[in-house]
């Protein structure tokens, strides 16, 4: 057993044991599963789970990974000045399941995206020789072999830690995320028996809609160290991504007392699907996929978006938070951190806005993305 694996197991055990204090949680933390995901693709039909269970919120959702499926775990953090950021994604998918990853025969891979204060951005993607993902209560823990990258989540998902120890690739470091807002599914809080599809065949579970982030990495010889806002979710499907998505806008951020997450997508049949989430003081105010609850639109750029339409430099977000009121946000992009020309962007952005036209809230911090899949 190598050092990284030992470290992973020690952390996993420590977090599991420390969380078992209250009696009521004993039963909950008895739920544990461990899944080995080989780097070789599985053949034939697999099963994707799209209805939530009582436990296992952040666990694997595919019975196995075949060439037309994907299941991944996504972590990000951005500094309050919107310049420094880190994204770590643990993929179990081939590029035939998700076209934006580097073609490779290995199902398991890790991608790291970074931006430095001076505007230098970059990405490092590497295949892993298999993965082990375990789940205790609702939190998950993953170990990606060869890359020496892990994530370890507390059973109640209050804390996640991502470690990368790959000096050969030029990346060593740690991201710590302490939750600020409760987990949710596309239309509901984290409860059993809820729909987990954000749009047809698109599974989504958002373990950490907002988090206090502490990032400390050494990337290609340079220190990347900041405190900021963080996020973690996972996505999966038993069909190729491009079969079901024409375009989408997703993002998360913090504005005034609100933690928000938005998702506004168009499926390949032209239907729009939305999911809007807001939390305040650590409580969910609204988590809904009612069509009227959220509208995200580009400012000064066409809607709906296609590969040939220019990327916007700002968005309008209108989120109906129910009894709390309607939150209207103007989001202006600050830094492009990933650019797949015509098809995909991830940005940092600043937000201003108000509830029901009241006091203007400023200095909001966001991380967001756009997919445009159709010519
Ligand atoms: C993967 O599994 C899904 C779900 O059963 C199935 O629809 C699809 O055809 C499978 N892909 C391959 C390449 O067998
Ligand atoms: C920007 O900062 C990074 C990290 O310190 C460094 O590696 C890179 O060379 C810098 N780029 C420029 C253009 O100064
Ligand atoms: C899943 O969520 C992450 C962060 O959400 C986002 O970057 C990614 O595009 C989403 N993908 C899918 C397929 O839902
Ligand atoms: C938001 O953007 C719209 C359109 O560009 C503009 O009319 C409005 O004044 C902006 N609101 C704020 C608060 O910046």
């Amino acid at each position: 057993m190598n050092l990284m694996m030992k470290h992973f197991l020690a952390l996993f055990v420590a977090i599991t044991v420390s969380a078992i204090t209250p009696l009521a949680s004993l039963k909950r933390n008895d739920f544990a599963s461990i899944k080995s995901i080989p780097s070789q693709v599985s053949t034939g039909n697999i099963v994707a789970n799209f209805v939530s269970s009582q436990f296992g919120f952040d666990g694997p959702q595919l019975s196995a990974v075949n060439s037309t499926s994907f299941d991944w775990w996504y972590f990000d953090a951005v500094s309050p000045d919107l310049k420094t950021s880190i994204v770590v994604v643990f993929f179990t998918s081939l590029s035939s399941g998700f076209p934006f990853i580097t073609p490779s025969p290995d199902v398991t891979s890790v991608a790291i995206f970074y931006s430095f204060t001076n505007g230098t951005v970059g990405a490092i993607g590497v295949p892993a020789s298999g993965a082990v993902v375990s789940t205790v209560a609702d939190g998950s823990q993953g170990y990606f072999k060869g890359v020496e990258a892990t994530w370890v989540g507390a059973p109640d998902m209050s804390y996640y830690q991502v470690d990368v120890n790959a000096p050969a690739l030029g990346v060593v470091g740690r991201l710590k995320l302490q939750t600020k807002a409760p987990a949710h599914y596309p239309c509901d809080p984290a409860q059993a028996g809820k729909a987990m599809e954000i749009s047809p065949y698109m599974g989504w579970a958002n373990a950490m809609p907002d988090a206090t982030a502490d990032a400390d990495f050494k990337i290609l010889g340079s220190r990347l160290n900041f405190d900021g806002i963080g996020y973690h979710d996972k996505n999966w499907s038993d069909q190729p991504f491009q079969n079901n998505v024409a375009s989408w806008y997703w993002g998360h951020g913090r504005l005034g007392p609100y933690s928000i997450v938005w998702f506004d997508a168009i499926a390949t049949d032209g239907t729009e699907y939305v999911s809007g989430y807001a939390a305040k003081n650590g409580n969910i105010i609204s988590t809904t996929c009612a069509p009227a609850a959220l509208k995200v639109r580009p400012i000064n750029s066409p809607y709906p978006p296609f590969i040939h339409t220019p990327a916007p430099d700002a968005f309008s977000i209108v989120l109906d938070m129910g009894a709390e009121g309607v939150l209207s946000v103007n989001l202006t992009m600050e830094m492009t951190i990933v650019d797949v020309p015509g098809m995909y962007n991830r940005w940092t952005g600043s937000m201003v806005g108000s509830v029901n036209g009241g006091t203007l809230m400023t200095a909001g911090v966001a991380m967001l993305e756009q997919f445009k899949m159709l010519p």
Side-chain angles (χ1 to χ4, degrees):
M1 192 158 56
N2 66 31
L3 260 179
M4 191 70 181
M5 185 68 183
K6 270 190 195 143
H7 170 73
F8 166 70
L9 284 176
L11 238 182
F12 175 22
V13 170
I15 284 184
T16 306
V17 170
S18 75
I20 297 188
T21 0
L23 219 94
S25 67
L26 269 177
K27 222 185 204 130
R28 192 165 182 81
N29 290 345
D30 276 350
F31 173 86
S33 77
I34 188 151
K35 190 177 182 75
S36 188
I37 303 170
S39 61
Q40 293 80 18
V41 73
S42 170
T43 52
N45 286 354
I46 58 156
V47 177
N49 182 30
F50 288 124
V51 178
S52 65
S53 311
Q54 195 183 352
F55 304 119
F57 185 98
D58 202 33
Q61 298 290 359
L62 300 181
S63 58
V65 184
N66 72 12
S67 65
T68 51
S69 63
F70 60 88
D71 196 2
W72 73 70
W73 289 262
Y74 169 98
F75 300 85
D76 77 30
V78 54
S79 62
D81 69 2
L82 304 169
K83 298 209 183 302
T84 329
S85 69
I86 183 95
V87 172
V88 183
V89 193
F90 295 85
F91 287 105
T92 65
S93 173
L94 293 184
S95 59
S96 46
F98 183 61
F100 294 91
I101 52 179
T102 312
S104 149
D106 294 299
V107 158
T108 47
S109 66
V110 179
I112 297 153
F113 305 85
Y114 55 89
S115 64
F116 285 105
T117 317
N118 63 8
T120 296
V121 300
I124 296 169
V126 272
S129 53
V132 179
V133 179
S134 54
T135 315
V136 178
D138 283 318
S140 65
Q141 302 80 36
Y143 169 61
F144 275 51
K145 298 174 199 169
V147 188
E148 301 311 304
T150 65
W151 79 84
V152 176
D156 64 358
M157 303 185 288
S158 58
Y159 178 76
Y160 273 80
Q161 181 171 312
V162 177
D163 282 87
V164 181
N165 185 19
L169 305 169
V171 189
V172 174
R174 172 171 294 171
L175 173 64
K176 297 187 213 169
L177 299 173
Q178 189 73 51
T179 192
K180 288 228 2 145
H184 71 115
Y185 293 118
C187 320
D188 298 281
Q191 293 165 354
K194 302 302 181 189
M196 297 195 289
E197 278 167 292
I198 197 154
S199 58
Y201 298 101
M202 205 57 72
W204 187 51
N206 187 187
M208 277 187 161
D210 189 11
T212 302
D214 171 354
D216 193 0
F217 285 82
K218 201 163 178 196
I219 297 178
L220 305 176
S222 298
R223 186 107 184 266
L224 183 83
N225 182 16
F226 64 92
D227 291 337
I229 77 160
Y231 175 94
H232 162 50
D233 72 3
K234 78 185 304 300
N235 323 78
W236 67 96
S237 180
D238 58 356
Q239 294 194 6
F241 181 83
Q242 65 275 19
N243 284 20
N244 296 303
V245 177
S247 70
W248 90 26
Y249 304 132
W250 160 89
H252 72 89
R254 206 184 288 166
L255 177 62
Y258 301 104
S259 301
I260 61 172
V261 181
W262 63 91
F263 178 92
D264 190 334
I266 303 174
T268 37
D269 69 357
T271 310
E272 184 178 1
Y273 293 89
V274 304
S275 170
Y277 171 95
K280 187 182 180 182
N281 304 326
N283 297 307
I284 296 179
I285 297 171
S286 75
T287 170
T288 174
C289 50
L294 176 75
K295 198 166 184 176
V296 182
R297 292 293 180 266
I299 296 174
N300 300 331
S301 155
Y303 181 88
F306 296 97
I307 291 172
H308 69 270
T309 56
D313 51 21
F315 282 102
S316 149
I317 301 167
V318 179
L319 173 60
D320 187 343
M321 304 188 293
E324 183 82 10
V326 176
L327 175 66
S328 302
V329 177
N330 278 8
L331 188 160
T332 306
M333 273 77 106
E334 171 75 18
M335 199 163 179
T336 302
I337 51 177
V338 184
D339 185 16
V340 179
M343 298 185 80
Y344 179 79
N345 281 111
R346 193 182 302 131
W347 300 280
T348 65
S350 64
M351 299 191 288
V352 298
S354 60
V355 177
N356 295 339
T359 314
L360 193 68
M361 299 173 286
T362 59
V365 173
M367 178 81 101
L368 67 154
E369 73 180 4
Q370 165 183 268
F371 281 98
K372 302 184 279 147
M373 305 294 288
L374 301 182

